[in-house]
Amino acid sequence: MEGKDEDVRVGANRYRERQPIGTAAQAEEDGKDYKEPPSAPFLFEPGELSSWSFYRACIAEFVATFLFLYITVLTVMGVAKSSSKCNTVGVQGIAWSFGGMIFALVYCTAGISGGHINPAVTFGMFLARKLSLTRAVFYIIFQCLGAICGALVVKGFQPHQYERLGGAANSVSRSYSIGGGLGAEIVGTFVLVYTVFSATDAKRNARDSHVPILAPLPIGFAVFLVHLATIPVTGTGINPARSLGAALVYNKDQAWDDHWIFWVGPFIGAALAALYHQIVIRAIPFKSK
């Protein structure tokens, strides 16, 4: 135990907070033990549109969202198709399908595009200056296109089943109010985006380097838990591309009635998570005149 206490003492001294909280925080001391990625240009980064790595990242987001919709829509349809819950994976299986796919796809694409696979995550990262507006817009477009194509492929394979089973389109449950559905989307997306920030934080990774945590794991697990909680409320959106792809391909009134909730809720939740992480958790200083 003595050796363990010594490790804790050394770690606490090595990674002590070097700046005060809030508006008093102006700058960090030199010689910190981690590298903070530079902030991205707010609007446009010269050279992005002429770089192959930029388009490769967009393609990675497209393919990842395509695969995400393909697997998860089929899972939801499989549960809806059965008359007995004992013959399917059930709600827990749907939650595992969404969470497991996010885990796998973030792991595959994190080194290429950051593994967003979700316009809400992209929006949160944009607010935190992790990527430029140009990249954020392109990511969101390719994510939505990938989601639409994923749902289209499922419908192409099983057109009659797709129409009969609802196409995994999101809608607010009749037993819940519009406000309840919006709140569920806001809080659910907050949990997801806050987890993304925490799992990819440079300072956190340096301080906890002795704990081997794979970033996609907590992100996928967050998606799983949010689905367990909110599937009965809205079918769980927390991803505008996923909601748009299913709604557009299914294209029935019930899929469009409350569709705005699955954009407004996730974007509000992502913005709150970005503000909370950047200002409260990381105590990013405000620039004074």
Side-chain angles (χ1 to χ4, degrees):
M1 289 300 292
E2 182 179 352
K4 183 178 180 180
D5 292 339
E6 177 66 11
D7 289 342
V8 172
R9 183 186 65 79
V10 171
N13 289 334
R14 184 179 183 187
Y15 297 111
R16 67 173 69 250
E17 292 290 347
R18 293 189 174 90
Q19 64 177 16
I21 299 299
T23 55
Q26 298 299 323
E28 290 184 307
E29 297 175 5
D30 294 332
K32 58 187 177 183
D33 298 291
Y34 65 97
K35 290 184 179 180
E36 191 71 50
S39 297
F42 186 72
L43 294 178
F44 178 73
E45 184 174 350
E48 271 193 327
L49 297 180
S50 60
S51 169
W52 164 241
S53 63
F54 173 79
Y55 295 102
R56 181 180 63 181
C58 292
I59 294 170
E61 287 293 310
F62 171 87
V63 172
T65 316
F66 168 85
L67 295 174
F68 178 62
L69 264 289
Y70 177 77
I71 295 297
T72 55
V73 168
L74 278 176
T75 304
V76 173
M77 287 174 55
V79 173
K81 180 180 179 181
S82 178
S83 58
S84 172
K85 293 183 179 179
C86 297
N87 295 333
T88 69
V89 295
V91 172
Q92 293 88 349
I94 293 175
W96 275 120
S97 175
F98 279 86
M101 279 303 292
I102 288 297
F103 168 73
L105 293 171
V106 170
Y107 178 82
C108 292
T109 60
I112 303 171
S113 65
H116 295 185
I117 322 171
N118 185 336
V121 173
T122 299
F123 180 64
M125 291 294 176
F126 164 70
L127 292 180
R129 300 289 301 277
K130 304 293 185 182
L131 69 165
S132 67
L133 178 62
T134 305
R135 185 174 290 262
V137 170
F138 271 75
Y139 273 18
I140 291 173
I141 291 173
F142 275 80
Q143 289 159 359
C144 290
L145 290 175
I148 293 168
C149 291
L152 275 173
V153 169
V154 175
K155 184 177 181 178
F157 287 164
Q158 307 179 44
H160 301 296
Q161 294 280 26
Y162 188 91
E163 295 291 337
R164 185 175 69 86
L165 299 174
N170 290 118
S171 62
V172 179
S173 173
R174 294 180 180 178
S175 57
Y176 290 89
S177 65
I178 297 297
L182 180 61
E185 290 297 304
I186 291 173
V187 177
T189 310
F190 180 93
V191 172
L192 169 60
V193 178
Y194 177 38
T195 304
V196 171
F197 275 110
S198 297
T200 58
D201 186 276
K203 185 175 183 179
R204 171 75 174 270
N205 291 336
R207 178 175 294 175
D208 298 337
S209 59
H210 60 288
V211 182
I213 297 178
L214 189 65
L217 181 59
I219 296 172
F221 201 64
V223 171
F224 164 70
L225 293 174
V226 171
H227 274 75
L228 283 183
T230 59
I231 283 176
V233 185
T234 61
T236 308
I238 68 171
N239 185 333
R242 170 261 188 275
S243 299
L244 177 65
L248 193 62
V249 176
Y250 183 57
N251 200 28
K252 297 290 190 297
D253 289 341
Q254 69 186 64
W256 294 113
D257 288 342
D258 305 315
H259 185 71
W260 63 272
I261 288 175
F262 302 102
W263 284 86
V264 175
F267 273 60
I268 292 176
L272 293 174
L275 290 172
Y276 175 65
H277 184 267
Q278 294 296 97
I279 295 175
V280 179
I281 300 301
R282 287 302 309 276
I284 300 299
F286 297 97
K287 292 183 178 179
S288 58
K289 296 182 180 179

